[in-house]
Amino acid sequence: MSAHCQLTGAKPGFGNHISHSHRRTSRRFDPNVQRKRYWLPSEGRYVRLRLSTKGIRTVDSIGIEAAVARIRARGVKV
């Protein structure tokens, strides 16, 4: 679960490296996942989340309370 966003659910995509001679080998496209700490005022504690950069922007726009509610609705423990 290292390259998963807790808020958006972004996870790795898969594809191929294509060389100059057009040989194909498997590769993995990982989302840009960061570990970020937020203060959660309703519980009086910090929460540490693994968020993609899109998830961080989402938290900035909707707020941490709504974001944690969405994460819990997905069934992820916070």
Side-chain angles (χ1 to χ4, degrees), residues 44-74:
R45 69 184 181 103
Y46 284 99
V47 291
R48 196 176 294 269
L49 302 174
R50 291 190 58 89
L51 299 172
S52 62
T53 49
K54 181 179 178 182
I56 292 171
R57 289 198 314 267
T58 303
V59 170
D60 290 343
S61 68
I62 67 172
I64 187 62
E65 299 287 345
V68 168
R70 282 190 195 179
I71 292 169
R72 288 182 174 149
R74 294 183 74 235

Side-chain angles (χ1 to χ4, degrees), residues 7 9 11 16 19 23-24 39-40 48-49 54 57 61:
L7 181 60
K11 56 189 176 187
N16 291 309
S19 69
R23 290 191 57 180
R24 294 160 191 244
W39 174 252
L40 193 59
R48 196 176 294 269
L49 302 174
K54 181 179 178 182
R57 289 198 314 267
S61 68

Side-chain angles (χ1 to χ4, degrees), residues 1-5 10-12 28 30-31 33 50:
M1 290 274 304
S2 63
H4 286 67
C5 176
K11 56 189 176 187
R28 186 173 136 147
D30 285 330
V33 175
R50 291 190 58 89

